[in-house]
Amino acid sequence: MTKLLILSVSAGNGHVRAAQALAATAQSLTPPCTAVHIDAMAHVAGGFRKVYTDWYIQLVNRAPDLWSYLHQRTDATPHHAPSQRLRRGIERLSTGALVKEIRSEQPDAVICTHFLPAELLMRERNRGRIDYPVWLQITDYDLHNMWLVPGMTGYLAATEEVAFRLRARGIPSDRIHVTGIPVMPAFAEPNVPALARNTCVTELRLDPSRPVLLMASGGAGVGDLASMVERVLGLGLGLGGGDGQQGNFQVIALAGRNVETHGKLDALAKRYPGRMVAIGFTNEMHKLMAAADLVVTKPGGLTVSECLALGKPMLLISPIPGQEEHNAGFLMEEGAAWLAYDAIGLDYKVARLMADPAKLAAMATRSRALGKPQAARAVLQHVLGATENGAAA
């Protein structure tokens, strides 16, 4: 049986979720293959892990302008530049245990959903220590220089534009495959009939005859999630100052693992009975999205891919400079999303969209047209097909 090793990095959740989607989909193949998922950060030095994950999250939240500068600067820095060689040298000193763990798995092929393990394996291959193929799954709707790891067996791209950018930067066409970004099997089309919108709304004890707004995150410029939800619940549908009446829509508010936020949302739900439901950590995000007529979210690559897979229109907030800004630009160009720059814009655009079912329906149509719910299966078909045919590492 073919054994795949899937490597992610928990700098944000998207890279891990893409890896989980690939591992879960591998089990459903006929014939199935063995898929082992390893988060690289579980096998590196503690100090390195803290810098690579915690520092990144703090930087994008507290100093977005600095992150934007670093993102642009590294995008313009060649792979062979001294600063990049120094960075990779520091990474090697901190990831010896990870490399040892990868060697011990002895896979038939590797898929990386982050460039860090791909760079480590590039060096292993160049020194003749591995002979299996290594593939790189790009998890955003744009291309950054850090994803241009030389010598990969294949590069798996979200869109034709990302593939075009790979070719423009010197990657051979025969190594580029447009697959989309992997999402969990629960988001794939064969399961969509089971995700009937009204059924999912009813399970949440909301009214299926009234529109539903899913709010999944807060951030810079728009406020924390609880304050966002409170403002939105107080909106009237009149846009010329409002008539003081509450809007007709309902809200699903997703706090995730944030216990404090969940408590605030529970208190709000008691103040607005029948108009909102507060959700903590869940493994049923597909059902929450299926229930929603509009999703308010940050434009992370995996989150928006899940929305697209279910054909959901989006109102985007607080994009991280660089990759998430580019994701937002792609979605707006294609007509699947709007962007709220600040709290006032959020209030205005929620009211506009929830009062315009025809606009929401048009955005939903564009979203479904862009969605690639079978992306994980497409990735695995490329990787397994090449492995069975004896593709070179």
Side-chain angles (χ1 to χ4, degrees):
M1 182 181 293
T2 302
K3 181 178 181 179
L4 295 180
L5 179 59
I6 305 170
L7 299 173
S8 66
V9 171
S10 50
N13 293 323
H15 308 291
V16 174
R17 281 158 58 197
Q20 291 170 338
L22 290 168
T25 302
Q27 298 175 8
S28 67
L29 297 178
T30 304
C33 69
T34 300
V36 177
H37 170 213
I38 294 178
D39 175 17
M41 292 297 102
H43 300 278
V44 300
F48 179 80
R49 178 170 58 249
K50 186 173 182 62
V51 169
Y52 213 90
T53 58
D54 296 351
W55 183 81
Y56 163 76
I57 293 170
Q58 292 181 24
L59 182 62
V60 298
N61 287 331
R62 298 182 182 180
D65 290 341
L66 176 57
W67 170 253
S68 179
Y69 168 78
L70 292 173
H71 185 275
Q72 293 177 38
R73 184 67 179 267
T74 53
D75 190 36
T77 304
H79 189 81
H80 59 271
S83 61
Q84 293 292 353
R85 293 202 299 268
L86 175 61
R87 174 185 60 80
R88 292 194 295 272
I90 294 172
E91 290 172 351
R92 288 195 298 272
L93 292 174
S94 304
T95 56
L98 171 61
V99 173
K100 184 177 180 180
E101 180 70 17
I102 293 171
R103 288 176 187 161
S104 71
E105 290 292 340
Q106 298 183 331
D108 295 300
V110 174
I111 307 173
C112 301
T113 63
H114 191 279
F115 47 79
L116 170 62
E119 289 181 327
L120 296 174
L121 289 174
M122 174 195 69
R123 186 171 188 270
E124 290 290 288
R125 189 214 61 180
N126 290 342
R127 290 176 174 259
R129 293 171 181 160
I130 65 172
D131 60 359
Y132 43 76
V134 181
W135 298 70
L136 187 54
Q137 171 69 59
I138 299 168
T139 55
D140 282 300
Y141 290 86
D142 192 51
L143 181 67
H144 187 276
N145 188 57
M146 298 291 280
W147 290 99
L148 297 175
V149 182
M152 296 291 99
T153 302
Y155 302 79
L156 305 155
T159 65
E160 292 290 348
E161 181 176 352
V162 175
F164 182 90
R165 290 181 177 277
L166 284 164
R167 291 191 295 270
R169 295 199 183 198
I171 303 300
S173 296
D174 61 354
R175 296 197 175 199
I176 302 169
H177 308 277
V178 179
T179 58
I181 297 174
V183 294
M184 291 293 286
F187 292 88
E189 282 184 314
N191 296 298
V192 169
L195 298 180
R197 183 259 185 200
N198 288 357
T199 300
C200 293
V201 173
T202 301
E203 287 181 5
L204 293 166
R205 298 182 180 180
L206 296 174
D207 182 355
S209 69
R210 296 161 61 194
V212 175
L213 178 69
L214 171 61
M215 303 183 70
S217 58
V222 295
D224 63 88
L225 179 59
S227 66
M228 284 170 50
V229 172
E230 185 172 16
R231 287 200 321 273
V232 165
L233 285 169
L235 288 174
L237 291 182
L239 297 181
D243 57 9
Q245 297 180 356
Q246 293 176 338
N248 185 47
F249 55 84
Q250 305 159 104
V251 175
I252 305 168
L254 181 61
R257 298 182 187 276
N258 191 318
V259 176
E260 181 181 357
T261 296
H262 196 184
K264 292 178 180 178
L265 292 173
D266 277 334
L268 274 177
K270 293 176 182 176
R271 288 172 50 194
Y272 293 90
R275 286 208 61 209
M276 75 161 287
V277 59
I279 306 291
F281 176 76
T282 178
N283 289 317
E284 296 192 322
M285 189 65 180
H286 56 291
K287 290 187 176 181
L288 301 184
M289 283 189 179
D293 298 290
L294 175 65
V295 178
V296 176
T297 182
K298 286 173 61 63
L302 264 291
T303 298
V304 302
S305 296
E306 291 167 351
C307 288
L308 295 175
L310 295 182
K312 296 299 172 179
M314 288 162 270
L315 179 55
L316 307 174
I317 57 172
S318 306
I320 294 172
Q323 66 269 35
E324 288 192 358
E325 287 179 336
H326 297 159
N327 292 344
F330 163 74
L331 294 167
M332 289 189 293
E333 286 173 359
E334 295 290 345
W338 281 11
L339 175 64
Y341 294 98
D342 55 20
I344 295 173
L346 173 69
D347 296 348
Y348 175 77
K349 291 180 180 180
V350 165
R352 274 283 307 274
L353 289 171
M354 299 307 281
D356 191 349
K359 180 61 179 177
L360 282 178
M363 291 170 67
T365 298
R366 290 301 305 139
S367 180
R368 181 166 293 282
L370 295 171
K372 295 185 182 296
Q374 298 291 345
R377 188 172 291 270
V379 168
L380 293 171
Q381 287 173 344
H382 282 297
V383 173
L384 293 173
T387 302
E388 292 169 0
N389 292 329

